[in-house]
Amino acid sequence: MSEWSAAIRERARALVARYPDRRSAVMPLLYLAMLTEDGDLTEDGMRQVAEHTGLTPAQVQSVASFYTMYKREGVGRYLVSVCTSISCMLLAAHDVLDAVADETGVPHGETGEDGTFSVEHVECIGACGGAPAVQVNYELIEGVTPDKARELCRWLRDGRPEVVFSDEMQALFGGQRSFEWGPKEPEGAVAAVPAIAHLGSAAGSSSPPSGGSPAAQPPGGGST
Amino acid sequence: MTATSTKILTGRMDAHPADSHTIERYLATGGYEALRKALETMAPEDVAAELKASNMRGRGGANFPTGVKWGFLAATEPRYLVVNADESEPGTFKDRMLLERDPHQMIEGIALSCYALGIRQAFVYVRGEYPRPARRVERAIAEAYRHGFLGNDVLGTGFACDVVVHLGAGAYICGEETALLNSLEGRRGEPRIKPPFPAVEGLYARPTIVNNVETLSNVPWIVTNGGAQYATIGPETSAGTRLFSLSGHVAKPGNYELVMGLTWREFIYDIGGGIPNGRELKAWIPGGASAPWFVPDPHLDTPVTIDDVGKHGSMLGSGAVVVMDDTTCVVRAAMNIVQFFAHESCGQCTPCREGTGWLQRMLWRIENGAGRPVDVDLLLDVSDNISPGLKWPPAMTTICPLGPSAVSPITTITTYFRDEVAAHVEEGVCPLG
Amino acid sequence: MAERVTITVDGKEMSVPAGSLLIEAAQDEGVYIPRFCWHKRMKPVGMCRMCLVEVEGPRGMLLTTACTMRVNDGMQVDTQSDVVKKAQEGVLEFLLINHPLDCPVCDRGGECPLQDQTMAYGPGESRFVEEKRHFEKPIDISELVKLDRERCILCARCTRFSDEISGDPLIEFVDRGYGTQVLTFPDEPFASYFSGNTVQICPVGALTATPYRFRARPWDLEAVESTCQQCSVGCRVSLQSSQNTIVRLNAVDNDATNHGWLCDKGRFSFEYLSSPHRVGTPLVKGADGEFAEATWGDAIGLVADRLRDADDTRVAALGGARGTNEDAYAFGKFMRTVVGSPHLDAQLGDGLDPQLVVGVTPRATIPDLETARAILLWGPDLKEELPVLYLRVRRAAQELGAKLVVVHPRRTGLDDVAAHKITYRPGQGPAVLRRLAAGEGELAEARAALADGPVVALVGRPGLAEDPRLAEAVAAFAAGLPDAGIMPLERRGNVVGALDMGLSPSLLPGRVAIDDAAGRAALAEAWGADLPEGDGLGAAGILAAAEAGDLDVLLLLGADPADDYPQGNVADAALARTPFVVAFDLFLTDSSRQADVVLPVSGFGESEGTVTNVEGRVQKVNRLVPAPGAARPAWSVLEDVAARLGASLGAVSAEALSKEIAEVAPAYGGISWDLLDFGDGREGVVVPGPEATQPLQHAPADPAVQPSARDLVLHLARVLYDDGVHVRFGPSLARVVPVAAAYVHPNDATRLGLTAGTLVTVAGDRGEIDLPLGLDESLAPGTVYVPFNLDETSELGNALAVTLEAAG
């Protein structure tokens, strides 16, 4: 079993310390396990989470498999998620999904052979006022047309950005928004794991998270 | 402006779009004054009394009076406050805005609620697909700690309050409060049997209050202005303003903070700008994907209040209004929603696990030209085995209302659009193309 | 009796225990509400929804699950309304839409709750025309259990059992919604000592047991209830046979012992009974050292001749702990009256002081765990030696809130539910006890936990290298705890019964001390014979005498000292040196192989009688199948040998012997087979029975054992699956026997410059053995843990001080 590095184990301990019961840290630790493996939730990753929470690997797998964002089948460099729930569906989200699948050559629900893209359709991501909506590594773009979706995929493939930022992609490929977003966000995603300081995001904020641990740097060498 | 334009929740973000989420702007616009007032001049039970007096009903979807819910909290220590920021009901995007645009308003609401309830540990459960709102909240929490609004000794009064952000990972069912608690405990997000209710046995089997983001965001205003003042806004049983998320085939989608009591026609046409592209209104969902749909006849001129919507067999739910124009195939729309619930069924109880999957497959056949004449009645009978009597609020053979929610679009389309459904079966194609 | 309330079910008023679950209360009053997920020994979850009923609430009748609803006074319940019937029919239809309906080839067919309830409550036809859910057909989730996910109805009985009852959550729900399945983690099989329970409680044929698969159809099975003899817990079982071969053991629920559970050793070891290696004919060793088959007459004649020629006191006997009380009683009577020797012992140097075992006061029973506020466990790892007692203690600590204090040299299965775990180096037990008793230092909290009674103290030998008298010292401490009860822990199936029957140099039948003059006199009169005078030898003395050439004849009654005596080399030498060894056995073991005559005896399920468990509870064992070949009950063989010697034991039948025991053995007074019949609420009789007295009252006294400090000490302890014959001769369990190793703390390995996997020599002054090195962080530094009786580890012996170095 490949073990986590001392630095990752230290971060894991800090996550565990946020809760009255260490089992509660399963979910953030699963994200941490994915960050150490470029977004994949591996069997070794689940074993490490089990180790840190006092659970059996079977229990960790049971929890992980309940939630759609823990990618046990692996995931590409860019996870493109197209919302197809009711509000997006009414505004032709399936055309956006088809455009993404066509442009990337990756059918939805799968990961491309070169590992660049995973394409999925997802249930409501809370962007109904800016339908149809798309996320790249959970960074949101609203008001996406099929053509803009193709441009987005090309931009990702050609530019291979280390970090994806919602505001940047919205400006380039988005349209109608659910509401005024306000100023730009300094943090972005380094992998198909939601970017938040206590788990690991790029261009991390200078504010310490409430748990008292210092602002996290992305693991595995990823940085802006 | 009319009375419908009262701004309790969205005033700051509308006036200061560039920095409404920062503590500087929050403080400059009266932020944390309610907390200071409460800590310095009010006993905890006084704060709770204001909530009770406000008649505010929870904004998560169940519309249960918040002050009453608080009253159920058992006295044993420790106790927890859990903020339900797992906004996932299709059509709903209001909490996302509150989290992103005015996180301190909610954080002050958390601190006030913890003070009122004698709680020192709160968790904010943010859905995993909301990293941006979660970041804003996490940074705002850090700011609040630095300014002494959270921590071991809030404003030097000895009151202690800690807040931890917990990220979900893609499971609608975690919006159900007991499923959320299981998830927060590091378990599968499966709803628990109630009773016991969380107020008695919640997080880690301790007394726990679970409140929605919008609910808590109202608390600073209520403490500042008094519960009685809040109760005067809007109809008696639908007090206060309400954030509605408007989406679908409507000219001006978005979040609208409204005083309840206007009619659906006023909302969809006057506020929402009507149906674009010259199309006609066919149906709308009045309160999120779980709610049975409304149709122009007879619902367009009924009032938008919790009670009126309930009286007409649906619910205001999470305040999500999804508008469908006359190009919409109701079978396809219903299938989309049933598929959503089938996908999100936790799978622990039989009728929901098996029933939603069965309904989804039948609708797929009907939509794709393989429907049989018996299928319409079969749809309804299978639905009845999930939600006996096919009424709203539903009777349930299930543990939680997710299963019956999947039945809502089926009862709607077989009630109001039976001919269109039948045409799918008889012609083997969708009549709308 | 608990408070009762009145509820009305289907118009019928019934008085039921307040706070009980509706499903159970109604059933006790004759109203059966169908169910799949609910199990009376597990927490209700209300998942399958089969038990939906209508209960009157503030807003009229409300559909609710009877398994989650607690009764309250005046509750109105309808289990038969149209709404209820439709809901139940609907649930069954939902359960069946994806079920493969492969009943004709399913092990569960004929005894399947899903099948039965479909008959009773089902819709009759399926309206589901979509494609059914598919999974890979049965997959091995362990060596013993297969899983067919297509048949699974996701009731979570198996996953809940593994998590909440047995404490090894290795199977879990995976995925969600329509795709939910039960699964193990990749490469981590469902290797639980209790996995067979999940097969038994599976309400469909999703989980099947490899040893039973396709062996029989339920309607062809013959069955009889009995008492498991794989350890001394004495679990109640249903023995099931097909064509005169035992093919399955199921647990039978009772409150006293097993709560409906079994360990896998108890459940699956029956295979040894039909092993081709069973001895079915008497064997006599010829001059060439080879066994030859013999007639009973010749074999018994030879044994009788050698006994007649031997000096009475140069005859000794070992064993009796694996048979029935009747066998043991006949054996003791034979030794003391026919042979005239006082040298007999049912224990093999691996037990406790027999007077402590049968006479300790105050004594605890297993049900006392249900009301204990604190539990002291200072003894073996129960999970390895008394598995179902482990379940009971686990329940007490986890569900019932008892504070559990575990004292053991290594991690145990109960550590995760223990309020306090004290790990110590073998040899330091006396010092730890003194500090615990005084509440010193870090033991203060553990001591405080034991100040709240009732306290149940489970006292045994943590390992075989430690001074066995430590248990007496622990018992003496425990006796002073508030409202204390003590349970001495002995492992072998009927060891307590054998000691109760007097198979010990210090005991006479019925819990009479050997030096109890009145007891001796009464027994001598009843037997019509003088009892042998002089001190008898126990197992250690007998084997030492044999090794020194001081024995003429050694009788082994189901005893295998070569493997079971903690100094295997001594036992081997003793067997080799003894001129004539007679083995009553089922197999040629490492001991009986060295005998001169082997007399085949009937085994479990092949003869009837009574047995006595670790609490002193007397229960029946029953006969279901014939013994192979000419094998017959040991008592009847002994009667024939006695007859050849011109004597009689009066052993005409097991029941006749049992009647004699009830008359002759004081603590067994009044225990008749009628009292022991199985049935609801019948749970045997705890000795002394209601009409009996127990002459021996043993108040434990601290023997002042001194601590022993050595550089490197041995922890020698048993594992559940070892090289015992019941495991070795059962193909299914033989597959799961672990590989032996010598374990040390990682720091010790570093200190010694050794790495895991290195072959090392562990040596003491009673033997040595080469084993691969394993690492075990739960050990105190300076300890070497070696599993006993695994890959010849018996040869190491049980010297406390050992050395460890890389094998040369």
Side-chain angles (χ1 to χ4, degrees):
Chain A
M1 175 160 86
S2 67
E3 291 214 352
W4 281 348
S5 68
I8 297 295
R9 288 205 306 275
E10 185 48 46
R11 287 184 58 190
R13 277 190 286 273
L15 289 171
V16 170
R18 290 162 66 91
Y19 300 95
D21 183 311
R22 64 179 174 161
R23 180 168 182 150
S24 279
V26 167
M27 294 180 68
L29 287 176
L30 285 166
Y31 281 135
L32 184 64
M34 287 166 61
L35 274 168
T36 65
E37 297 284 348
D38 299 325
D40 299 347
L41 182 58
T42 64
E43 286 172 19
D44 274 349
M46 287 189 270
R47 285 198 183 88
Q48 293 296 330
V49 174
E51 193 106 316
H52 281 269
T53 51
L55 301 176
T56 62
Q59 287 175 302
V60 172
Q61 172 183 253
S62 178
V63 174
S65 65
F66 188 86
Y67 302 93
T68 57
M69 292 168 67
Y70 298 127
K71 303 297 186 186
R72 288 178 302 146
E73 305 299 323
V75 70
R77 179 73 189 82
Y78 304 106
L79 171 65
V80 182
S81 312
V82 180
C83 177
T84 54
S85 281
I86 184 71
S87 300
C88 288
M89 183 215 88
L90 291 171
L91 293 166
H94 287 90
D95 295 342
V96 174
L97 177 61
D98 290 346
V100 169
D102 185 61
E103 185 63 40
T104 60
V106 179
H108 63 82
E110 295 185 20
T111 298
E113 275 174 24
D114 68 353
T116 304
F117 288 106
S118 290
V119 176
E120 62 177 4
H121 74 92
V122 293
E123 297 298 350
C124 184
I125 51 177
C128 326
V134 172
Q135 288 184 335
V136 177
N137 292 350
Y138 305 107
E139 292 292 300
L140 179 68
I141 312 139
E142 297 187 290
V144 180
T145 62
D147 287 345
K148 286 289 185 185
R150 287 179 185 276
E151 283 179 37
L152 166 67
C153 294
R154 288 197 290 269
W155 179 80
L156 290 168
R157 186 170 53 220
D158 298 343
R160 292 194 73 87
E162 281 285 314
V163 186
V164 289
F165 295 93
S166 197
D167 295 279
E168 182 181 12
M169 293 187 291
Q170 177 70 30
L172 291 171
F173 312 107
Q176 167 81 36
R177 293 179 301 183
S178 291
F179 50 81
E180 164 61 45
W181 283 15
K184 276 188 184 168
E185 268 288 298
E187 293 174 71
V190 295
V193 177
I196 178 169
H198 78 261
L199 295 176
S201 64
S205 104
S206 56
S207 317
S210 62
S213 62
Q217 288 303 310
S223 68
T224 47
Chain B
M1 292 292 281
T2 64
T4 58
S5 68
T6 301
K7 295 288 182 69
I8 291 175
L9 300 166
T10 57
R12 190 174 299 102
M13 66 181 78
D14 284 355
H16 308 282
D19 62 356
S20 61
H21 63 289
T22 64
I23 196 159
E24 291 76 17
R25 176 58 62 197
Y26 192 64
L27 291 171
T29 51
Y32 290 111
E33 286 306 314
L35 180 62
R36 192 178 300 278
K37 169 184 170 184
L39 292 183
E40 290 174 358
T41 69
M42 298 169 77
E45 49 272 25
D46 298 338
V47 178
E50 292 300 332
L51 251 291
K52 192 109 195 267
S54 75
N55 283 336
M56 179 178 58
R57 293 163 71 166
R59 305 305 199 212
N63 293 304
F64 192 81
T66 304
V68 177
K69 190 177 195 175
W70 282 14
F72 296 145
L73 186 66
T76 49
E77 299 280 352
R79 293 176 270 183
Y80 298 105
L81 175 70
V82 176
V83 184
N84 188 341
D86 191 54
E87 178 176 69
S88 308
E89 181 81 13
T92 316
F93 49 97
K94 64 184 179 67
D95 293 339
R96 179 184 142 214
M97 183 173 79
L98 292 172
L99 296 165
E100 257 183 70
R101 306 294 313 287
D102 205 342
H104 283 287
Q105 182 170 250
M106 176 190 73
I107 293 166
E108 186 176 12
I110 292 170
L112 284 164
S113 302
C114 285
Y115 177 68
L117 296 165
I119 291 171
R120 64 155 300 154
Q121 176 73 61
F123 294 90
V124 185
Y125 187 107
V126 185
R127 65 178 304 197
E129 298 89 338
Y130 277 9
R132 182 189 181 100
R135 292 196 291 265
R136 290 258 172 100
V137 170
E138 198 161 66
R139 287 202 295 269
I141 288 171
E143 289 174 329
Y145 269 97
R146 276 201 299 274
H147 284 78
F149 301 122
L150 293 174
N152 284 329
D153 185 13
V154 175
L155 296 175
T157 61
F159 166 62
C161 183
D162 285 307
V163 185
V164 164
V165 173
H166 182 92
L167 212 59
Y172 161 81
I173 189 59
C174 292
E176 196 282 335
E177 59 180 5
T178 59
L180 185 151
L181 294 174
N182 275 339
S183 183
L184 185 50
E185 289 181 9
R187 300 170 195 279
R188 296 163 63 84
E190 291 163 348
R192 301 173 182 173
I193 300 269
K194 292 191 273 195
F197 288 90
V200 177
E201 220 173 279
L203 186 65
Y204 312 124
R206 311 300 310 174
T208 303
I209 289 291
V210 184
N211 279 153
N212 161 267
V213 172
E214 183 185 343
T215 307
L216 289 167
S217 295
N218 275 296
V219 173
W221 192 97
I222 290 169
V223 171
T224 300
N225 299 283
Q229 180 64 26
Y230 190 91
T232 64
I233 303 170
E236 193 183 341
T237 57
S238 295
T241 64
R242 186 75 202 249
L243 260 181
F244 288 90
S245 298
L246 185 62
S247 66
H249 295 140
V250 65
K252 294 194 285 181
N255 284 319
Y256 295 94
E257 182 176 6
L258 303 175
V259 174
M260 287 173 274
L262 73 172
T263 66
W264 288 104
R265 183 187 300 278
E266 288 168 329
F267 186 14
I268 294 171
Y269 286 94
D270 299 347
I271 292 172
I275 316 300
N277 306 321
R279 313 301 314 197
E280 295 294 315
L281 176 64
K282 185 170 187 175
W284 72 97
I285 309 175
S290 305
W293 307 353
F294 275 180
V295 292
D297 179 16
H299 301 125
L300 195 57
D301 292 304
T302 61
V304 182
T305 71
I306 294 167
D307 290 347
D308 285 283
V309 177
K311 226 181 299 172
H312 286 92
S314 187
M315 64 168 182
L316 214 44
S318 61
V321 179
V322 182
V323 178
M324 298 177 232
D325 72 15
D326 56 358
T327 65
T328 307
C329 166
V330 295
V331 175
R332 188 156 180 256
M335 181 179 79
N336 180 281
I337 291 172
V338 171
Q339 176 186 304
F340 170 82
F341 287 112
H343 183 259
E344 301 300 336
S345 170
C346 79
Q348 65 168 336
C349 77
T350 309
C352 178
R353 177 185 67 241
E354 304 294 337
T356 56
W358 190 1
L359 292 174
Q360 177 195 345
R361 281 160 179 75
M362 278 194 279
L363 282 167
W364 188 90
R365 272 198 295 106
I366 294 170
E367 172 65 8
N368 287 280
R372 305 168 301 163
V374 297
D375 282 336
V376 180
D377 286 339
L378 184 55
L379 271 176
L380 285 170
D381 196 56
V382 170
S383 296
D384 188 80
N385 286 340
I386 301 170
S387 181
L390 302 177
K391 55 195 185 208
W392 200 270
M396 313 193 290
T397 61
T398 50
I399 290 173
C400 85
L402 188 145
S405 296
V407 168
S408 290
I410 291 170
T411 52
T412 302
I413 64 170
T414 51
T415 302
Y416 298 116
F417 304 101
R418 199 168 179 114
D419 290 348
E420 188 179 328
V421 177
H424 277 79
V425 172
E426 286 157 16
E427 296 162 27
V429 289
C430 174
L432 287 104
Chain C
M1 184 182 253
E3 190 195 337
R4 296 183 84 83
V5 295
T6 301
I7 64 173
T8 306
V9 179
D10 302 337
K12 181 182 148 199
E13 274 198 8
M14 47 185 72
S15 167
V16 297
S20 57
L21 292 171
L22 175 56
I23 195 169
E24 197 167 16
Q27 180 169 355
D28 288 347
E29 296 299 316
V31 177
Y32 183 85
I33 299 167
R35 81 290 301 258
F36 294 108
C37 68
W38 184 72
H39 186 285
K40 68 180 277 194
R41 299 293 181 188
M42 297 194 285
K43 279 184 234 160
V45 288
M47 283 168 53
C48 77
R49 316 305 286 175
M50 192 63 209
C51 70
L52 284 167
V53 295
E54 284 194 298
V55 175
E56 188 165 279
R59 287 180 294 270
M61 296 302 271
L62 189 70
L63 264 181
T64 188
T65 40
C67 74
T68 58
M69 176 63 72
R70 298 208 174 265
V71 297
N72 51 50
D73 202 38
M75 181 181 273
Q76 300 280 326
V77 182
D78 194 335
T79 74
Q80 299 292 325
S81 71
D82 290 346
V83 172
V84 169
K85 282 182 177 164
K86 182 162 193 302
Q88 291 178 348
E89 210 176 280
V91 169
L92 264 176
E93 183 180 37
F94 285 138
L95 287 174
L96 290 170
I97 61 173
N98 281 301
H99 190 78
L101 301 173
D102 56 350
C103 310
V105 293
C106 177
D107 268 344
R108 208 70 166 142
E111 56 174 16
C112 173
L114 181 62
Q115 215 175 29
D116 295 345
Q117 296 193 27
T118 302
M119 290 287 288
Y121 307 94
E125 60 170 307
S126 175
R127 302 178 292 176
F128 186 75
V129 298
E130 329 299 327
E131 193 187 354
K132 285 183 191 266
R133 204 158 44 211
H134 287 300
F135 288 107
E136 187 188 337
K137 271 297 204 179
I139 53 173
D140 290 310
I141 56 171
S142 76
E143 291 283 354
L144 299 169
V145 180
K146 285 177 187 289
L147 167 65
D148 183 331
R149 291 162 292 175
E150 292 187 344
R151 292 178 185 159
C152 176
I153 59 167
L154 298 166
C155 69
R157 279 182 166 194
C158 56
T159 55
R160 285 182 286 141
F161 172 84
S162 305
D163 187 4
E164 90 190 42
I165 305 292
S166 74
D168 30 35
L170 300 169
I171 43 170
E172 288 280 340
F173 275 9
V174 167
D175 299 328
R176 73 178 188 210
Y178 202 72
T180 308
Q181 53 178 317
V182 169
L183 209 58
T184 54
F185 193 74
D187 302 325
E188 301 233 349
F190 181 33
S192 164
Y193 285 164
F194 303 94
S195 67
N197 293 296
T198 65
V199 174
Q200 185 176 341
I201 62 177
C202 180
V204 292
L207 291 166
T208 48
T210 322
Y212 176 71
R213 253 174 95 77
F214 305 131
R215 292 283 301 273
R217 303 301 296 181
W219 48 85
D220 292 330
L221 291 174
E222 308 231 2
V224 67
E225 283 193 32
S226 192
T227 305
C228 179
Q229 286 298 288
Q230 283 302 319
C231 79
S232 66
V233 173
C235 297
R236 188 161 155 191
V237 295
S238 167
L239 277 180
Q240 301 175 2
S241 69
S242 173
Q243 298 174 319
N244 278 335
T245 302
I246 292 177
V247 294
R248 183 166 72 173
L249 252 82
N250 269 346
V252 177
D253 188 276
N254 75 357
D255 284 331
T257 56
N258 53 316
H259 277 184
W261 313 126
L262 290 179
C263 71
D264 284 0
K265 188 179 184 188
R267 185 182 299 271
F268 295 126
S269 63
F270 66 84
E271 288 178 338
Y272 78 88
L273 290 164
S274 50
S275 163
H277 300 291
R278 278 290 292 274
V279 180
T281 310
L283 300 174
V284 174
K285 196 172 271 176
D288 59 355
E290 297 296 316
F291 283 118
E293 294 191 352
T295 65
W296 271 113
D298 289 350
I300 286 173
L302 178 59
V303 172
D305 289 348
R306 295 300 293 258
L307 284 171
R308 193 182 296 112
D309 294 346
D311 183 342
D312 292 355
T313 56
R314 288 174 64 89
V315 178
L318 289 174
R322 281 179 173 152
T324 62
N325 288 341
E326 291 70 22
D327 290 334
Y329 176 79
F331 196 48
K333 189 177 180 185
F334 179 83
M335 283 300 293
R336 284 184 164 125
T337 66
V338 180
V339 175
S341 167
H343 310 311
L344 72 181
D345 198 345
Q347 302 193 90
L348 295 174
D350 55 354
L352 300 170
D353 172 3
Q355 295 207 353
L356 175 73
V357 175
V358 307
V360 72
T361 175
R363 182 183 275 279
T365 63
I366 294 173
D368 290 340
L369 292 167
E370 298 284 304
T371 48
R373 299 287 300 275
I375 299 168
L376 170 64
L377 168 57
W378 191 325
D381 182 351
L382 296 182
K383 198 172 186 179
E384 302 291 346
E385 300 205 11
L386 300 162
V388 171
L389 186 59
Y390 153 88
L391 295 184
R392 295 295 300 262
V393 174
R394 188 171 188 85
R395 166 180 154 80
Q398 186 161 266
E399 299 299 322
L400 307 175
K403 285 188 183 138
L404 173 64
V405 178
V406 177
V407 192
H408 193 81
R410 187 177 171 256
R411 70 166 172 269
T412 77
L414 288 164
D415 290 1
D416 64 323
V417 295
H420 302 281
K421 168 67 190 300
I422 301 166
T423 304
Y424 69 99
R425 288 183 72 198
Q428 290 302 307
V432 173
L433 177 59
R434 187 186 54 73
R435 298 183 59 238
L436 174 63
E440 281 178 19
E442 79 282 5
L443 303 187
E445 284 184 25
R447 179 66 186 83
L450 298 172
D452 193 13
V455 180
V456 170
L458 305 164
V459 181
R461 290 179 67 173
L464 297 172
E466 292 175 73
D467 191 323
R469 293 172 304 155
L470 178 59
E472 181 87 20
V474 174
F477 160 65
L481 295 171
D483 206 357
I486 297 166
M487 188 186 301
L489 301 177
E490 294 267 85
R491 188 189 66 101
R492 215 162 274 123
N494 196 35
V495 63
V496 175
L499 295 175
D500 277 353
M501 295 302 108
L503 292 188
S504 159
S506 68
L507 293 172
L508 294 173
R511 300 188 173 177
V512 176
I514 193 74
D515 54 1
D516 176 340
R520 284 181 74 94
L523 183 64
E525 188 186 342
W527 278 353
D530 290 333
L531 302 181
E533 295 295 333
D535 290 342
L537 299 174
I542 289 169
L543 291 171
E547 194 179 8
D550 293 338
L551 284 189
D552 292 339
V553 179
L554 177 61
L555 305 178
L556 301 176
L557 183 62
D560 183 5
D563 278 358
D564 284 334
Y565 188 67
Q567 299 165 42
N569 294 340
V570 171
D572 280 333
L575 292 169
R577 187 77 194 273
T578 306
F580 192 69
V581 177
V582 182
F584 297 71
D585 216 319
L586 285 70
F587 291 98
L588 290 181
T589 66
D590 288 345
S591 299
S592 60
R593 201 179 300 282
Q594 301 184 56
D596 298 278
V597 176
V598 178
L599 302 172
V601 292
S602 51
F604 183 65
E606 297 164 355
S607 54
E608 60 179 349
T610 63
V611 289
T612 305
N613 80 349
V614 67
E615 315 158 85
R617 185 182 304 274
V618 184
Q619 302 180 96
K620 272 297 296 294
V621 288
N622 283 319
R623 181 175 184 274
L624 180 64
V625 295
R632 55 194 179 105
W635 57 260
S636 81
V637 179
L638 287 162
E639 178 67 45
D640 284 3
V641 179
R644 288 292 185 103
L645 293 168
S648 171
L649 300 171
V652 297
S653 69
E655 186 160 16
L657 279 167
S658 209
K659 278 185 180 145
E660 184 175 321
I661 293 166
E663 288 162 11
V664 171
Y668 280 64
I671 298 180
S672 70
W673 283 18
D674 286 348
L675 270 180
L676 302 180
D677 277 347
F678 290 108
D680 280 348
R682 306 288 301 261
E683 302 188 323
V685 176
V686 176
V687 178
E691 302 166 31
T693 57
Q694 175 165 323
L696 177 60
Q697 299 289 333
H698 179 86
D702 188 347
V705 186
Q706 291 307 304
S708 174
R710 304 300 180 90
D711 286 346
L712 207 52
V713 294
L714 177 64
H715 175 53
L716 184 67
R718 291 187 183 268
V719 290
L720 186 63
Y721 303 133
D722 61 9
D723 282 345
V725 289
H726 296 170
V727 173
R728 204 189 312 156
F729 290 112
S732 297
L733 290 184
R735 283 202 298 270
V736 293
V737 175
V739 175
Y743 297 89
V744 295
H745 191 277
N747 293 350
D748 283 338
T750 307
R751 187 167 56 83
L752 296 165
L754 298 169
T755 54
T758 310
L759 194 68
V760 296
T761 301
V762 185
D765 62 11
R766 295 163 189 175
E768 64 174 57
I769 187 169
D770 289 352
L771 292 168
L773 187 72
L775 302 182
D776 184 344
E777 287 190 356
S778 76
L779 289 166
T783 310
V784 182
Y785 162 57
V786 174
F788 182 62
N789 191 20
L790 203 59
D791 299 345
E792 314 298 330
T793 54
S794 306
E795 290 172 12
L796 170 60
N798 63 344
L800 181 66
V802 289
T803 59
L804 184 145
E805 57 187 25

